[in-house]
Coordinates of all heavy atoms in Angstrom, one line a residue:
M235 N 229.0 7.2 -37.0 CA 228.1 6.1 -36.8 C 226.6 6.5 -37.0 O 225.8 5.8 -37.5 CB 228.4 5.4 -35.5 CG 227.6 4.1 -35.3 SD 228.3 2.9 -36.5 CE 227.3 1.6 -36.2
Y236 N 226.4 7.7 -36.4 CA 225.0 8.3 -36.5 C 224.6 8.5 -37.9 O 223.4 8.2 -38.3 CB 224.9 9.6 -35.7 CG 223.5 10.2 -35.7 CD1 222.5 9.7 -35.0 CD2 223.3 11.4 -36.4 CE1 221.2 10.2 -35.1 CE2 222.1 12.0 -36.5 CZ 221.0 11.4 -35.8 OH 219.8 12.0 -35.9
K237 N 225.5 9.0 -38.7 CA 225.1 9.3 -40.1 C 224.9 8.0 -40.9 O 224.0 7.9 -41.8 CB 226.3 10.0 -40.8 CG 226.4 11.4 -40.4 CD 227.6 12.1 -41.1 CE 227.8 13.5 -40.6 NZ 228.8 14.2 -41.3
L238 N 225.6 6.9 -40.5 CA 225.4 5.6 -41.2 C 224.0 5.0 -40.8 O 223.2 4.5 -41.6 CB 226.5 4.6 -40.8 CG 227.8 4.8 -41.4 CD1 228.8 3.8 -40.8 CD2 227.8 4.7 -42.9
L239 N 223.7 5.1 -39.5 CA 222.4 4.7 -39.1 C 221.3 5.5 -39.7 O 220.2 4.9 -40.2 CB 222.3 4.8 -37.5 CG 221.0 4.3 -36.9 CD1 220.9 2.8 -37.2 CD2 221.1 4.5 -35.4
K240 N 221.4 6.8 -39.8 CA 220.4 7.6 -40.4 C 220.2 7.3 -41.9 O 219.1 7.2 -42.4 CB 220.8 9.1 -40.3 CG 219.8 10.1 -40.7 CD 220.3 11.5 -40.4 CE 219.3 12.6 -40.9 NZ 219.8 13.9 -40.7
A241 N 221.3 7.1 -42.6 CA 221.2 6.7 -44.1 C 220.5 5.3 -44.1 O 219.8 5.1 -45.1 CB 222.6 6.7 -44.6
G242 N 220.9 4.4 -43.3 CA 220.3 3.1 -43.4 C 218.7 3.1 -43.1 O 218.0 2.5 -43.8
L243 N 218.3 3.9 -42.2 CA 216.9 4.1 -41.8 C 216.2 4.8 -43.0 O 215.0 4.5 -43.3 CB 216.7 4.8 -40.5 CG 217.1 4.0 -39.3 CD1 217.0 4.9 -38.0 CD2 216.3 2.8 -39.1
F244 N 216.9 5.8 -43.6 CA 216.2 6.5 -44.8 C 216.1 5.5 -45.9 O 215.0 5.5 -46.6 CB 217.1 7.6 -45.2 CG 216.6 8.4 -46.3 CD1 215.5 9.2 -46.1 CD2 217.1 8.3 -47.6 CE1 214.9 10.0 -47.1 CE2 216.6 9.1 -48.7 CZ 215.5 9.9 -48.4
R245 N 217.1 4.7 -46.2 CA 217.0 3.6 -47.2 C 215.8 2.6 -46.9 O 215.1 2.2 -47.8 CB 218.3 2.9 -47.4 CG 218.8 2.8 -48.8 CD 220.1 2.1 -49.0 NE 221.1 2.8 -48.1 CZ 221.8 2.1 -47.2 NH1 221.5 0.9 -46.9 NH2 222.8 2.7 -46.6
L246 N 215.7 2.3 -45.6 CA 214.7 1.3 -45.2 C 213.3 1.9 -45.4 O 212.4 1.2 -45.6 CB 215.0 1.0 -43.7 CG 214.2 -0.2 -43.1 CD1 214.5 -1.5 -43.9 CD2 214.6 -0.3 -41.7
K247 N 213.2 3.2 -45.1 CA 211.9 3.8 -45.3 C 211.3 3.8 -46.7 O 210.1 3.8 -46.9 CB 212.0 5.3 -44.8 CG 210.7 6.0 -44.6 CD 210.8 7.4 -43.9 CE 211.6 8.4 -44.7 NZ 211.5 9.7 -44.1
K248 N 212.2 3.7 -47.7 CA 211.8 3.6 -49.0 C 211.5 2.2 -49.5 O 211.0 2.1 -50.6 CB 212.9 4.3 -49.9 CG 213.0 5.8 -49.7 CD 213.9 6.5 -50.8 CE 215.2 5.9 -50.9 NZ 216.1 6.6 -51.8
E249 N 211.9 1.3 -48.7 CA 211.8 -0.2 -49.1 C 210.3 -0.6 -49.0 O 209.7 -0.4 -48.0 CB 212.6 -1.1 -48.2 CG 214.0 -1.2 -48.6 CD 214.3 -2.0 -49.8 OE1 213.5 -3.0 -50.1 OE2 215.1 -1.6 -50.5
M250 N 209.8 -1.2 -50.1 CA 208.4 -1.7 -50.0 C 208.2 -2.9 -49.1 O 207.2 -3.1 -48.4 CB 207.9 -2.0 -51.5 CG 206.5 -2.4 -51.5 SD 205.5 -1.1 -50.9 CE 204.5 -0.7 -52.3
S251 N 209.3 -3.8 -49.0 CA 209.2 -5.0 -48.3 C 209.1 -4.6 -46.8 O 208.5 -5.3 -46.0 CB 210.4 -5.9 -48.5 OG 211.6 -5.2 -48.2
F252 N 209.8 -3.5 -46.4 CA 209.7 -3.1 -45.0 C 208.3 -2.7 -44.6 O 207.8 -3.2 -43.5 CB 210.6 -1.9 -44.7 CG 210.4 -1.2 -43.4 CD1 210.9 -1.9 -42.3 CD2 209.8 0.0 -43.3 CE1 210.8 -1.3 -41.0 CE2 209.6 0.6 -42.1 CZ 210.1 0.0 -40.9
W253 N 207.6 -2.0 -45.4 CA 206.3 -1.6 -45.1 C 205.3 -2.8 -45.2 O 204.3 -2.9 -44.4 CB 205.8 -0.5 -46.0 CG 206.5 0.8 -45.8 CD1 207.4 1.4 -46.6 CD2 206.4 1.6 -44.6 NE1 207.9 2.5 -45.9 CE2 207.3 2.7 -44.7 CE3 205.7 1.5 -43.4 CZ2 207.5 3.6 -43.7 CZ3 205.8 2.5 -42.5 CH2 206.7 3.5 -42.7
L254 N 205.5 -3.7 -46.1 CA 204.7 -4.9 -46.2 C 204.8 -5.7 -44.9 O 203.8 -6.1 -44.4 CB 205.2 -5.7 -47.4 CG 204.5 -7.1 -47.6 CD1 203.1 -6.9 -48.1 CD2 205.2 -8.0 -48.5
F255 N 206.0 -6.0 -44.5 CA 206.3 -6.7 -43.2 C 205.7 -6.0 -42.0 O 205.2 -6.6 -41.1 CB 207.7 -7.1 -43.0 CG 208.1 -8.2 -43.9 CD1 209.1 -8.1 -44.8 CD2 207.6 -9.5 -43.7 CE1 209.5 -9.2 -45.6 CE2 208.0 -10.6 -44.4 CZ 209.0 -10.4 -45.4
M256 N 205.8 -4.7 -42.0 CA 205.2 -3.9 -40.9 C 203.7 -4.0 -40.9 O 203.1 -4.3 -39.8 CB 205.6 -2.4 -41.1 CG 205.3 -1.5 -40.0 SD 206.2 -1.9 -38.5 CE 207.6 -0.8 -38.9
F257 N 203.0 -3.8 -42.0 CA 201.6 -3.9 -42.0 C 201.1 -5.3 -41.7 O 200.1 -5.6 -41.0 CB 200.9 -3.4 -43.3 CG 201.0 -2.0 -43.4 CD1 201.6 -1.4 -44.6 CD2 200.6 -1.1 -42.4 CE1 201.7 0.0 -44.7 CE2 200.7 0.2 -42.5 CZ 201.3 0.8 -43.7
L258 N 201.9 -6.3 -42.2 CA 201.6 -7.7 -42.0 C 201.7 -8.1 -40.5 O 200.8 -8.7 -39.9 CB 202.5 -8.6 -42.8 CG 202.1 -10.1 -43.0 CD1 200.8 -10.2 -43.6 CD2 203.2 -10.8 -43.8
S259 N 202.7 -7.5 -39.9 CA 202.9 -7.8 -38.4 C 201.7 -7.1 -37.6 O 201.2 -7.8 -36.6 CB 204.2 -7.1 -37.9 OG 205.3 -7.8 -38.5
F260 N 201.3 -5.9 -37.9 CA 200.2 -5.3 -37.3 C 198.9 -6.0 -37.5 O 198.1 -6.2 -36.6 CB 200.0 -3.8 -37.7 CG 201.1 -2.9 -37.1 CD1 201.7 -2.0 -37.9 CD2 201.4 -2.9 -35.8 CE1 202.6 -1.1 -37.4 CE2 202.3 -2.1 -35.2 CZ 202.9 -1.1 -36.0
G261 N 198.8 -6.5 -38.7 CA 197.5 -7.3 -39.0 C 197.4 -8.5 -38.3 O 196.4 -8.9 -37.7
I262 N 198.6 -9.3 -38.1 CA 198.6 -10.5 -37.4 C 198.3 -10.3 -35.9 O 197.7 -11.0 -35.2 CB 199.9 -11.3 -37.7 CG1 199.8 -11.9 -39.1 CG2 200.1 -12.4 -36.7 CD1 200.6 -13.0 -39.5
A263 N 198.9 -9.2 -35.4 CA 198.7 -8.9 -33.9 C 197.3 -8.6 -33.7 O 196.7 -9.1 -32.7 CB 199.5 -7.6 -33.6
I264 N 196.6 -7.9 -34.6 CA 195.2 -7.6 -34.4 C 194.4 -8.9 -34.5 O 193.4 -9.1 -33.8 CB 194.7 -6.5 -35.4 CG1 195.3 -5.2 -35.0 CG2 193.1 -6.4 -35.4 CD1 195.1 -4.1 -36.1
L265 N 194.7 -9.7 -35.5 CA 194.0 -11.0 -35.7 C 194.2 -11.9 -34.5 O 193.2 -12.5 -34.1 CB 194.6 -11.7 -36.9 CG 194.0 -13.0 -37.3 CD1 192.6 -12.8 -37.9 CD2 194.8 -13.7 -38.4
V266 N 195.4 -12.0 -33.9 CA 195.6 -12.8 -32.7 C 194.8 -12.3 -31.6 O 194.1 -13.1 -30.8 CB 197.1 -12.9 -32.4 CG1 197.3 -13.4 -31.0 CG2 197.8 -13.7 -33.4
L267 N 194.7 -11.0 -31.4 CA 193.9 -10.4 -30.3 C 192.4 -10.7 -30.5 O 191.7 -11.0 -29.5 CB 194.2 -8.9 -30.1 CG 195.5 -8.6 -29.6 CD1 195.7 -7.1 -29.6 CD2 195.6 -9.0 -28.2
F268 N 191.9 -10.5 -31.7 CA 190.5 -10.7 -31.9 C 190.2 -12.3 -31.8 O 189.1 -12.6 -31.3 CB 190.1 -10.3 -33.3 CG 189.8 -8.8 -33.4 CD1 190.2 -8.1 -34.5 CD2 189.2 -8.1 -32.4 CE1 189.9 -6.7 -34.6 CE2 188.9 -6.8 -32.5 CZ 189.3 -6.1 -33.5
K269 N 191.1 -13.1 -32.2 CA 190.9 -14.5 -32.1 C 190.8 -14.9 -30.5 O 189.9 -15.7 -30.2 CB 192.0 -15.3 -32.7 CG 191.9 -16.8 -32.7 CD 193.0 -17.4 -33.4 CE 193.4 -18.7 -32.8 NZ 194.6 -19.3 -33.3
G270 N 191.7 -14.3 -29.8 CA 191.7 -14.6 -28.3 C 190.5 -14.0 -27.7 O 189.9 -14.6 -26.7
Y271 N 190.0 -12.9 -28.1 CA 188.8 -12.2 -27.5 C 187.6 -12.9 -27.9 O 186.6 -13.0 -27.1 CB 188.8 -10.7 -28.0 CG 187.7 -10.0 -27.4 CD1 187.7 -9.6 -26.0 CD2 186.6 -9.6 -28.1 CE1 186.7 -8.9 -25.4 CE2 185.6 -8.8 -27.6 CZ 185.6 -8.5 -26.2 OH 184.6 -7.8 -25.7
S272 N 187.4 -13.4 -29.1 CA 186.2 -14.0 -29.6 C 186.0 -15.4 -29.1 O 184.8 -15.9 -29.1 CB 186.1 -14.0 -31.1 OG 187.1 -14.9 -31.6
S273 N 187.0 -16.1 -28.6 CA 186.8 -17.4 -28.1 C 186.2 -17.4 -26.8 O 186.3 -16.4 -26.0 CB 188.1 -18.2 -28.0 OG 189.0 -17.6 -27.1
N274 N 185.4 -18.4 -26.5 CA 184.7 -18.4 -25.2 C 185.6 -18.7 -24.0 O 185.2 -18.6 -22.9 CB 183.6 -19.5 -25.3 CG 182.5 -19.0 -26.3 OD1 182.3 -17.8 -26.5 ND2 181.7 -20.0 -26.8
N275 N 186.8 -19.2 -24.3 CA 187.7 -19.6 -23.3 C 188.3 -18.3 -22.6 O 188.1 -17.2 -23.2 CB 188.9 -20.4 -23.8 CG 188.3 -21.7 -24.4 OD1 187.3 -22.2 -24.1 ND2 189.1 -22.3 -25.3
E276 N 189.0 -18.5 -21.5 CA 189.7 -17.4 -20.9 C 190.8 -16.8 -21.9 O 191.4 -17.5 -22.6 CB 190.4 -17.8 -19.7 CG 189.5 -18.1 -18.5 CD 190.3 -18.4 -17.3 OE1 191.5 -18.1 -17.3 OE2 189.7 -19.0 -16.4
M277 N 190.9 -15.5 -21.9 CA 192.0 -14.9 -22.7 C 193.3 -14.9 -21.9 O 193.4 -14.0 -21.1 CB 191.6 -13.5 -23.2 CG 192.4 -13.0 -24.3 SD 191.7 -11.6 -25.1 CE 192.5 -10.3 -24.2
I278 N 194.1 -15.8 -22.1 CA 195.3 -16.0 -21.4 C 196.5 -15.2 -22.2 O 196.7 -15.5 -23.3 CB 195.8 -17.4 -21.1 CG1 194.6 -18.1 -20.5 CG2 197.1 -17.5 -20.4 CD1 194.8 -19.6 -20.4
L279 N 197.0 -14.2 -21.5 CA 198.0 -13.3 -22.1 C 199.2 -14.1 -22.6 O 199.8 -13.8 -23.6 CB 198.4 -12.2 -21.2 CG 199.3 -11.1 -21.8 CD1 198.6 -10.4 -23.0 CD2 199.6 -10.0 -20.8
D280 N 199.7 -15.1 -21.8 CA 200.9 -15.8 -22.2 C 200.6 -16.6 -23.5 O 201.5 -16.7 -24.3 CB 201.2 -16.9 -21.1 CG 201.7 -16.2 -19.8 OD1 202.2 -15.0 -20.0 OD2 201.7 -16.8 -18.8
K281 N 199.4 -17.2 -23.6 CA 199.1 -17.9 -24.8 C 199.2 -17.1 -26.1 O 199.7 -17.4 -27.1 CB 197.8 -18.7 -24.6 CG 197.4 -19.5 -25.9 CD 196.1 -20.1 -25.6 CE 195.6 -20.8 -26.9 NZ 194.2 -21.2 -26.8
L282 N 198.5 -15.9 -25.9 CA 198.4 -15.0 -27.1 C 199.8 -14.4 -27.4 O 200.2 -14.3 -28.6 CB 197.5 -13.8 -26.7 CG 196.1 -14.1 -26.6 CD1 195.3 -12.9 -26.2 CD2 195.5 -14.7 -27.9
T283 N 200.7 -14.2 -26.4 CA 202.0 -13.6 -26.7 C 202.9 -14.7 -27.3 O 203.6 -14.3 -28.2 CB 202.7 -13.2 -25.3 OG1 201.9 -12.3 -24.7 CG2 204.0 -12.6 -25.5
N284 N 202.8 -15.9 -26.9 CA 203.6 -17.0 -27.5 C 203.2 -17.2 -29.0 O 204.0 -17.4 -29.8 CB 203.4 -18.3 -26.7 CG 204.2 -18.3 -25.4 OD1 205.1 -17.5 -25.3 ND2 203.8 -19.1 -24.5
E285 N 201.8 -17.1 -29.2 CA 201.4 -17.3 -30.6 C 201.9 -16.2 -31.5 O 202.3 -16.4 -32.6 CB 199.8 -17.4 -30.6 CG 199.2 -17.7 -32.0 CD 197.8 -17.9 -31.9 OE1 197.2 -18.1 -30.9 OE2 197.2 -17.8 -33.0
F286 N 201.8 -15.0 -31.0 CA 202.2 -13.8 -31.7 C 203.8 -13.8 -32.0 O 204.2 -13.4 -33.1 CB 201.8 -12.5 -31.0 CG 202.2 -11.2 -31.7 CD1 201.6 -10.9 -32.8 CD2 203.2 -10.3 -31.1 CE1 201.9 -9.7 -33.5 CE2 203.4 -9.2 -31.8 CZ 202.9 -8.9 -33.0
T287 N 204.6 -14.1 -31.0 CA 206.0 -14.1 -31.2 C 206.4 -15.1 -32.2 O 207.5 -15.0 -32.9 CB 206.8 -14.4 -29.9 OG1 206.3 -15.6 -29.3 CG2 206.6 -13.2 -28.9
L288 N 205.7 -16.2 -32.4 CA 206.1 -17.2 -33.4 C 206.0 -16.5 -34.8 O 207.0 -16.6 -35.6 CB 205.1 -18.4 -33.4 CG 205.2 -19.4 -34.5 CD1 206.5 -20.2 -34.3 CD2 204.0 -20.3 -34.5
Y289 N 205.0 -15.8 -35.1 CA 204.8 -15.1 -36.4 C 205.8 -14.0 -36.5 O 206.4 -13.8 -37.6 CB 203.4 -14.5 -36.5 CG 202.4 -15.6 -36.6 CD1 201.4 -15.6 -35.7 CD2 202.4 -16.6 -37.6 CE1 200.4 -16.6 -35.7 CE2 201.4 -17.5 -37.6 CZ 200.4 -17.5 -36.7 OH 199.4 -18.5 -36.7
I290 N 206.0 -13.2 -35.5 CA 207.0 -12.1 -35.6 C 208.4 -12.6 -35.8 O 209.1 -11.9 -36.5 CB 206.8 -11.2 -34.3 CG1 205.4 -10.5 -34.3 CG2 207.9 -10.0 -34.3 CD1 205.1 -9.7 -35.5
G291 N 208.8 -13.6 -35.1 CA 210.1 -14.2 -35.3 C 210.4 -14.6 -36.7 O 211.4 -14.4 -37.3
L292 N 209.3 -15.2 -37.3 CA 209.4 -15.6 -38.7 C 209.6 -14.4 -39.6 O 210.5 -14.4 -40.5 CB 208.2 -16.4 -39.1 CG 208.2 -16.9 -40.5 CD1 209.2 -18.0 -40.7 CD2 206.8 -17.5 -40.8
F293 N 208.8 -13.3 -39.4 CA 208.8 -12.2 -40.3 C 210.2 -11.4 -40.1 O 210.8 -11.0 -41.1 CB 207.7 -11.2 -39.9 CG 206.3 -11.7 -40.2 CD1 205.3 -11.2 -39.5 CD2 206.2 -12.6 -41.2 CE1 204.0 -11.7 -39.8 CE2 204.9 -13.1 -41.6 CZ 203.8 -12.6 -40.9
I294 N 210.7 -11.4 -38.8 CA 212.0 -10.7 -38.6 C 213.1 -11.5 -39.3 O 214.0 -10.9 -39.9 CB 212.3 -10.6 -37.1 CG1 211.3 -9.5 -36.5 CG2 213.7 -10.2 -36.9 CD1 211.4 -9.4 -35.1
A295 N 213.1 -12.8 -39.3 CA 214.1 -13.6 -39.9 C 214.1 -13.4 -41.4 O 215.2 -13.2 -42.0 CB 213.9 -15.1 -39.6
I296 N 213.0 -13.4 -42.0 CA 212.9 -13.2 -43.5 C 213.3 -11.8 -43.9 O 214.1 -11.7 -44.8 CB 211.4 -13.4 -43.9 CG1 211.0 -14.9 -43.8 CG2 211.3 -13.0 -45.4 CD1 209.5 -15.2 -44.0
F297 N 212.8 -10.8 -43.1 CA 213.2 -9.5 -43.5 C 214.7 -9.1 -43.3 O 215.3 -8.5 -44.2 CB 212.4 -8.4 -42.7 CG 212.7 -7.0 -43.0 CD1 212.3 -6.5 -44.2 CD2 213.5 -6.3 -42.1 CE1 212.7 -5.2 -44.6 CE2 213.8 -5.0 -42.5 CZ 213.4 -4.4 -43.6
V298 N 215.2 -9.6 -42.2 CA 216.6 -9.3 -41.9 C 217.6 -10.0 -43.0 O 218.5 -9.4 -43.4 CB 217.0 -9.7 -40.5 CG1 218.5 -9.7 -40.3 CG2 216.4 -8.8 -39.5
S299 N 217.2 -11.2 -43.3 CA 218.0 -11.9 -44.3 C 217.9 -11.2 -45.7 O 218.9 -11.1 -46.4 CB 217.6 -13.4 -44.4 OG 216.3 -13.5 -44.9
M300 N 216.7 -10.7 -46.0 CA 216.6 -10.0 -47.3 C 217.4 -8.7 -47.3 O 218.1 -8.3 -48.2 CB 215.1 -9.7 -47.6 CG 214.3 -10.8 -48.0 SD 212.5 -10.5 -48.2 CE 212.4 -8.8 -48.8
F301 N 217.3 -8.0 -46.2 CA 218.0 -6.7 -46.1 C 219.5 -6.8 -46.0 O 220.2 -6.1 -46.7 CB 217.5 -5.9 -44.8 CG 218.0 -4.6 -44.6 CD1 217.5 -3.6 -45.5 CD2 218.9 -4.2 -43.7 CE1 218.0 -2.2 -45.4 CE2 219.4 -2.9 -43.5 CZ 218.9 -1.9 -44.4
V302 N 220.0 -7.8 -45.2 CA 221.5 -8.0 -45.2 C 222.0 -8.5 -46.5 O 223.1 -8.1 -47.0 CB 221.8 -8.8 -44.0 CG1 223.3 -9.3 -44.0 CG2 221.5 -8.2 -42.7
G303 N 221.2 -9.4 -47.1 CA 221.6 -10.0 -48.4 C 221.7 -8.8 -49.4 O 222.7 -8.8 -50.3
K304 N 220.8 -8.0 -49.5 CA 220.8 -6.8 -50.4 C 222.0 -5.9 -50.2 O 222.7 -5.5 -51.1 CB 219.5 -6.1 -50.4 CG 219.4 -4.9 -51.4 CD 218.1 -4.2 -51.3 CE 218.1 -3.0 -52.2 NZ 216.9 -2.2 -52.1
E305 N 222.2 -5.6 -49.0 CA 223.3 -4.7 -48.6 C 224.7 -5.4 -48.9 O 225.6 -4.7 -49.4 CB 223.3 -4.3 -47.1 CG 222.3 -3.3 -46.8 CD 222.6 -2.5 -45.7 OE1 223.6 -2.7 -45.0 OE2 221.9 -1.6 -45.3
H306 N 224.7 -6.7 -48.8 CA 226.0 -7.4 -49.1 C 226.2 -7.4 -50.6 O 227.3 -7.2 -51.0 CB 226.0 -8.8 -48.5 CG 227.2 -9.6 -48.8 ND1 228.4 -9.3 -48.2 CD2 227.4 -10.6 -49.6 CE1 229.3 -10.2 -48.7 NE2 228.8 -11.0 -49.5
S307 N 225.2 -7.7 -51.3 CA 225.3 -7.8 -52.8 C 225.7 -6.4 -53.4 O 226.3 -6.4 -54.5 CB 224.1 -8.4 -53.4 OG 223.0 -7.5 -53.3
E308 N 225.2 -5.4 -52.9 CA 225.5 -4.0 -53.4 C 226.8 -3.5 -52.9 O 227.2 -2.4 -53.3 CB 224.4 -3.1 -53.1 CG 223.1 -3.4 -53.7 CD 221.9 -2.4 -53.4 OE1 222.2 -1.6 -52.5 OE2 220.9 -2.6 -53.9
G309 N 227.5 -4.2 -52.0 CA 228.8 -3.7 -51.4 C 228.7 -2.6 -50.4 O 229.7 -2.0 -50.1
I310 N 227.5 -2.4 -49.8 CA 227.4 -1.3 -48.9 C 228.1 -1.7 -47.5 O 228.7 -0.8 -47.0 CB 225.9 -1.0 -48.6 CG1 225.2 -0.6 -49.9 CG2 225.7 -0.1 -47.5 CD1 223.7 -0.4 -49.8
I311 N 228.0 -2.9 -47.1 CA 228.7 -3.4 -45.9 C 230.2 -3.2 -46.0 O 230.8 -2.7 -45.1 CB 228.3 -4.8 -45.5 CG1 226.8 -4.9 -45.2 CG2 229.1 -5.3 -44.4 CD1 226.3 -6.3 -45.0
R312 N 230.8 -3.6 -47.2 CA 232.2 -3.5 -47.4 C 232.6 -2.0 -47.4 O 233.6 -1.7 -46.7 CB 232.5 -4.1 -48.8 CG 234.1 -4.0 -49.0 CD 234.3 -4.4 -50.5 NE 233.9 -3.4 -51.4 CZ 233.1 -3.6 -52.4 NH1 232.8 -4.8 -52.7 NH2 232.7 -2.6 -53.2
N313 N 231.8 -1.1 -47.9 CA 232.2 0.3 -47.9 C 232.1 0.8 -46.5 O 232.9 1.7 -46.1 CB 231.2 1.1 -48.8 CG 231.4 0.7 -50.3 OD1 232.5 0.2 -50.6 ND2 230.5 1.0 -51.1
K314 N 231.1 0.4 -45.7 CA 231.0 0.8 -44.3 C 232.3 0.4 -43.5 O 232.8 1.2 -42.7 CB 229.8 0.3 -43.6 CG 228.5 1.0 -44.2 CD 227.3 0.4 -43.5 CE 226.0 1.0 -44.0 NZ 224.9 0.4 -43.5
I315 N 232.7 -0.8 -43.7 CA 233.9 -1.4 -43.0 C 235.1 -0.6 -43.4 O 235.9 -0.3 -42.5 CB 234.0 -2.8 -43.3 CG1 232.9 -3.6 -42.6 CG2 235.3 -3.4 -42.8 CD1 232.8 -5.1 -42.9
I316 N 235.3 -0.3 -44.6 CA 236.4 0.4 -45.1 C 236.5 1.9 -44.6 O 237.5 2.4 -44.2 CB 236.5 0.5 -46.7 CG1 236.8 -0.9 -47.2 CG2 237.5 1.5 -47.2 CD1 236.6 -1.0 -48.7
V317 N 235.3 2.5 -44.5 CA 235.3 3.9 -44.0 C 235.6 3.9 -42.5 O 236.3 4.8 -42.0 CB 233.9 4.5 -44.3 CG1 233.7 5.7 -43.5 CG2 233.7 4.7 -45.7
R318 N 235.1 2.9 -41.7 CA 235.3 2.9 -40.3 C 236.7 2.4 -40.0 O 237.2 2.7 -38.9 CB 234.3 2.0 -39.6 CG 232.8 2.4 -39.7 CD 232.6 3.8 -39.1 NE 232.9 3.8 -37.7 CZ 232.9 4.9 -37.0 NH1 232.7 6.0 -37.5 NH2 233.1 4.7 -35.7
A319 N 237.4 1.7 -40.8 CA 238.7 1.1 -40.5 C 239.8 2.1 -40.5 O 239.9 3.2 -40.8 CB 239.1 0.0 -41.4

């Protein structure tokens, strides 16, 4: 199982969409923090966290569906199940 996880992470490291979503997530986190800091109102951590999780949830849903769809279409999931069975 460790070898499968290592291979999956290695494949993920080469994916351009992974790095795009990673930098986009960091950018939105910084943008949300600056937006909360620059407003004259109190910076409420709950409000900032809820706003940030909305975006991150959307990014995770898009990325996971792309990744699982690609693995399913290439037959990687089927091969993993056959090897483990």
Side-chain angles (χ1 to χ4, degrees):
M235 189 67 183
Y236 177 71
K237 289 181 183 179
L238 290 174
L239 184 61
K240 188 176 176 181
L243 291 175
F244 182 72
R245 231 179 301 119
L246 191 61
K247 191 167 65 170
K248 295 191 305 183
E249 279 289 322
M250 185 59 119
S251 61
F252 171 73
W253 292 110
L254 175 73
F255 281 116
M256 187 70 86
F257 289 128
L258 195 59
S259 298
F260 285 133
I262 289 199
I264 292 170
L265 182 71
V266 166
L267 287 174
F268 280 141
K269 183 178 146 189
Y271 182 73
S272 67
S273 67
N274 294 333
N275 301 337
E276 289 183 17
M277 192 166 97
I278 302 171
L279 187 60
D280 290 340
K281 181 181 174 190
L282 293 176
T283 305
N284 287 337
E285 186 175 344
F286 180 67
T287 55
L288 174 73
Y289 296 121
I290 295 303
L292 181 66
F293 293 153
I294 289 173
I296 292 170
F297 179 73
V298 167
S299 65
M300 285 174 38
F301 187 68
V302 170
K304 181 179 177 188
E305 285 205 358
H306 179 71
S307 68
E308 292 178 358
I310 297 171
I311 294 175
R312 183 188 69 231
N313 293 339
K314 287 178 184 178
I315 291 173
I316 291 172
V317 168
R318 296 300 296 171

